[in-house]
């Protein structure tokens, strides 16, 4: 099977109390499987990672007033979707925002199919949870990011 490169951007959305906004993604390939992840998605043709991050934040959250920080993490992983295999190459940007109510008014049909609930999490809640997260070490990565601030160069977030 051919693996299709898929550049993507994600946003680590943090409120003033250091809660991070995550969405529960429900797998269509593995029924019953789900995991929590930050808002984000694939780049549109000609779009920069920063432009995609802001667009995805507006589409998935209904929030368009964010200012992005630098890229803090990178991540690569393969997944299957609609009879294709993708190599997703993600860049994660941090955005500090006031707490807001999420709107799904801009969701695509695919997002409605796979996106479940959303929630503002603390790092402690993530670290104590038995839920799955993407990246898998999200709690530890956030703990380090909040303690040390943004790294000089992006950190590989692993799978």
């Amino acid at each position: 099977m051919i693996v299709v490169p898929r550049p993507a951007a994600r946003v680590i959305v943090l409120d003033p109390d250091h809660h991070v906004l995550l969405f529960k993604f429900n797998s269509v390939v593995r029924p019953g499987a789900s995991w929590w992840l930050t808002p984000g998605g694939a780049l549109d043709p000609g779009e920069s990672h920063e432009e995609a991050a802001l667009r995805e934040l507006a589409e998935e959250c209904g929030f368009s007033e964010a200012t992005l920080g630098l890229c803090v993490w990178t991540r690569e992983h393969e997944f299957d979707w609609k009879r294709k295999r993708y190599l997703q190459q993600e860049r994660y940007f941090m955005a500090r925002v006031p707490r807001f109510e999420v709107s799904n008014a801009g969701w695509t049909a695919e997002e409605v199919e796979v996106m479940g609930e959303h929630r503002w999490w603390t790092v402690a809640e993530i670290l104590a949870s038995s839920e799955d997260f993407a990246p898998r070490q999200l709690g530890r990565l956030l703990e380090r990011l909040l303690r040390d601030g943004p790294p000089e160069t992006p950190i590989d977030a692993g799978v």
Side-chain angles (χ1 to χ4, degrees):
M1 179 180 288
I2 296 173
V3 178
V4 180
R6 186 177 193 254
R10 297 207 160 277
V11 185
I12 305 160
V13 181
L14 292 164
D15 77 3
D17 295 320
H18 309 298
H19 292 85
V20 64
L21 177 63
L22 300 177
F23 286 90
K24 192 170 191 176
F25 185 92
N26 299 305
S27 176
V28 294
V29 178
R30 295 185 343 231
S34 63
W35 53 93
W36 291 88
L37 71 166
T38 62
L43 275 62
D44 285 342
E47 192 174 44
S48 72
H49 284 85
E50 294 82 358
E51 290 167 337
L54 291 171
R55 176 185 50 76
E56 289 285 345
L57 194 55
E59 290 174 1
E60 292 183 358
C61 302
F63 188 80
S64 58
E65 300 170 30
T67 300
L68 295 180
L70 298 174
C71 176
V72 295
W73 304 334
T74 59
R75 177 175 179 249
E76 284 193 0
H77 63 101
E78 289 188 17
F79 67 94
D80 297 317
W81 179 263
K82 298 192 177 186
R83 299 187 178 140
K84 288 186 182 178
R85 183 93 176 151
Y86 291 94
L87 172 61
Q88 182 135 310
Q89 302 153 318
E90 298 172 337
R91 292 186 191 174
Y92 285 76
F93 299 89
M94 189 168 72
R96 292 208 174 263
V97 301
R99 176 75 68 106
F100 62 89
E101 288 297 321
V102 171
S103 169
N104 63 2
W107 287 12
T108 65
E110 287 178 343
E111 288 166 336
V112 169
E113 180 182 7
V114 298
M115 300 278 271
E117 61 191 286
H118 65 274
R119 179 177 160 195
W120 292 90
W121 292 75
T122 66
V123 171
E125 289 171 332
I126 293 169
L127 291 170
S129 177
S130 62
E131 299 272 355
D132 290 326
F133 296 89
R136 290 185 184 139
Q137 294 299 314
L138 181 64
R140 297 277 175 236
L141 290 162
L142 286 169
E143 188 175 53
R144 180 177 175 185
L145 182 63
L146 292 172
R147 182 189 64 232
D148 301 340
E152 289 184 26
T153 58
I155 294 170
D156 181 350
V159 180

